[in-house]
Amino acid sequence: MSKLQQVQEWTEQHHADFTYVSDPATIQYLTGFYSDPVERVLALIVFADQDPFMFAPALEVEAIKDTGFSFPVYGYLDHENPWQLIAGHVKKRVSQPTEIVLEKNQLSVDRLEQLQTVFPEASFDQDITPFINQLRVIKTADEIEKLNVAGKWADFAFEKGFAAVKAGRTEQQVVAELQYALMKAGIMQMSFDTLVQAGAHAAEPHGATNATKFENNELILFDLGTVWQGYISDASRTVALGKPTAKQLDIYQVCLEAQLAAQAAAKPGITAAELDKVARDIITKAGYGDYFIHRLGHGMGMSEHEFPSIMAGNDMVLQPGMCFSIEPGIYIPGVAGVRIEDCVHITESGCEPFTHTSKELTYVG
């Protein structure tokens, strides 16, 4: 049974007239077509007992058909009201829908109100998001192979990025060089904005790459990923330029110990909360617990942040095929920021990483 058929079966089992799928990543997962429609409307309509259809901006219609999507595709022009058109296509199949399922974690209030306007008799109480999460959480062998290729290109990017670091150069210059090298090799898309942070700037975990110049005797954090056939990589390494201080080296070694211990502990049967605790206990015991300010990891696959979260309070038991990041970090303002990350997939007896760049402290420049 295809993934799309499973959504159709779920819709029928939940006595809904149709499911309105609107997350571009979910649409890609179910159909093979991806586009970010920005302000326009892109939707996959899945019925309980009839063929689905895709609704999209007119400029996307041929691209959808080119993916091999074998069901109807309806386009609309910018001056047309997409909600009225969607309602018209639906009502040719279900004259008066009364139960409509949504992806509630993705749909804006404005768009919900638009749907309520064209389907005034319908209930919108049901949410398919948990089911989609469960579908996506266990990756197939084909998905894992694509993630492995994406990981290979992340390793390539680290190699090029590390080689580009020199005192006096800027974070932005290094990002430009590593991404240019990827583009020359045919890799045109990053999973997210590449992050390179020097020295104390790395103590801002979500600070953007900027014009900060590299200085001798500091740590430099890299966080990057590439896209391969719709699947992403995500990895972090921290490297040294010159001779870091004893404090910075201690932070690095504690973070490395935590990452290696958690990766070794990741296997079927352990819970997400227990895995988070493996790394967190090491960092806390070393005195840096207050500076580990995020979860240990997040799911990944077609998106860089997917279900589930590897964190305290999540008692989900890990199973073979689950893919997620293991990324402890220690961020001390004015001193340094260190994060070391591999994404892994759970195997029958442990886990395997998608990236293989050394995690021992690398000296660059």
Side-chain angles (χ1 to χ4, degrees):
M1 184 182 295
S2 72
K3 298 162 185 173
L4 189 52
Q5 287 172 325
Q6 290 181 68
V7 172
Q8 185 173 34
E9 182 179 74
W10 187 95
T11 302
E12 182 178 16
Q13 290 172 348
H14 288 75
H15 309 290
D17 293 299
F18 68 90
T19 294
Y20 181 88
V21 179
S22 52
D23 184 343
T26 305
I27 292 172
Q28 181 184 22
Y29 180 73
L30 296 175
T31 71
F33 172 76
Y34 179 80
S35 175
D36 180 354
V38 195
E39 78 280 5
R40 297 183 172 99
V41 177
L42 174 68
L44 173 66
I45 310 298
V46 183
F47 295 91
D49 56 1
Q50 299 185 60
D51 287 343
F53 70 79
M54 192 98 76
F55 184 85
L59 51 82
E60 303 278 19
V61 169
E62 291 307 313
I64 294 171
K65 293 178 180 178
D66 286 345
T67 66
F69 184 73
S70 59
F71 303 107
V73 182
Y74 303 114
Y76 80 99
L77 301 173
D78 287 340
H79 69 274
E80 296 179 301
N81 184 316
W83 310 104
Q84 291 177 356
L85 292 174
I86 289 173
H89 294 305
V90 166
K91 289 176 181 178
K92 290 176 183 176
R93 295 159 171 83
V94 182
S95 59
Q96 262 196 322
T98 59
E99 188 68 31
I100 299 173
V101 176
L102 305 172
E103 288 182 286
K104 290 190 175 182
N105 71 326
Q106 194 276 338
L107 197 69
S108 69
V109 173
D110 174 72
R111 295 197 168 188
L112 171 59
E113 290 175 347
Q114 297 283 4
L115 286 168
Q116 289 171 328
T117 297
V118 294
F119 298 111
E121 306 301 320
S123 166
F124 295 87
D125 293 336
Q126 294 198 70
D127 181 15
I128 199 171
T129 302
F131 178 71
I132 296 294
N133 284 342
Q134 289 297 331
L135 269 186
R136 292 178 63 176
V137 75
I138 305 296
K139 270 59 177 183
T140 64
D142 177 66
E143 289 178 298
I144 288 172
E145 178 54 30
K146 291 173 181 174
L147 291 166
N148 272 319
V149 176
K152 179 193 76 171
W153 286 111
D155 285 328
F156 174 88
F158 280 133
E159 178 187 350
K160 298 302 180 182
F162 296 169
V165 173
K166 297 286 187 297
R169 302 195 78 190
T170 68
E171 298 170 352
Q172 292 166 334
Q173 287 173 320
V174 169
V175 168
E177 285 207 19
L178 73 86
Q179 291 188 181
Y180 180 53
L182 284 165
M183 293 172 73
K184 287 195 295 183
I187 304 301
M188 305 302 292
Q189 186 178 358
M190 306 302 291
S191 310
F192 49 88
D193 289 343
T194 300
L195 189 64
V196 174
Q197 294 173 289
H201 185 207
E204 304 172 27
H206 275 182
T209 298
N210 62 27
T212 297
K213 291 184 177 181
F214 302 119
E215 298 180 2
N216 279 316
N217 308 323
E218 66 180 7
L219 297 176
I220 301 165
L221 191 155
F222 285 73
D223 188 357
L224 55 82
T226 64
V227 181
W228 177 260
Q229 294 183 6
Y231 287 79
I232 68 100
S233 53
D234 179 6
S236 301
R237 294 291 187 270
T238 303
V239 298
L241 176 61
K243 185 178 180 181
T245 66
K247 179 73 169 179
Q248 291 167 343
L249 291 174
D250 185 60
I251 293 167
Y252 187 91
Q253 289 303 318
V254 170
C255 190
L256 177 61
E257 181 185 353
Q259 202 283 332
L260 293 174
Q263 194 160 312
K267 61 184 178 181
I270 192 172
T271 69
E274 289 168 342
L275 188 58
D276 179 279
K277 188 173 186 298
V278 168
R280 201 166 299 277
D281 282 354
I282 290 170
I283 291 173
T284 299
K285 183 178 178 181
Y288 299 120
D290 289 344
Y291 303 104
F292 182 12
I293 53 178
H294 54 70
R295 62 194 171 183
L296 177 64
H298 54 77
M300 52 83 71
M302 299 182 85
S303 307
E304 70 271 18
H305 283 187
E306 292 187 0
F307 175 84
S309 287
I310 309 301
M311 65 182 185
N314 183 3
D315 293 326
M316 172 178 276
V317 176
L318 302 186
Q319 303 174 53
M322 287 185 174
C323 301
F324 53 85
S325 66
I326 298 177
E327 50 177 309
I330 301 171
Y331 314 95
I332 303 180
V335 178
V338 174
R339 183 166 62 256
I340 304 169
E341 171 191 15
D342 279 325
C343 286
V344 304
H345 66 94
I346 296 296
T347 65
E348 294 297 329
S349 59
C351 74
E352 291 290 339
F354 297 114
T355 40
H356 301 278
T357 298
S358 174
K359 287 179 280 196
E360 294 298 323
L361 185 59
T362 297
Y363 288 81
V364 298

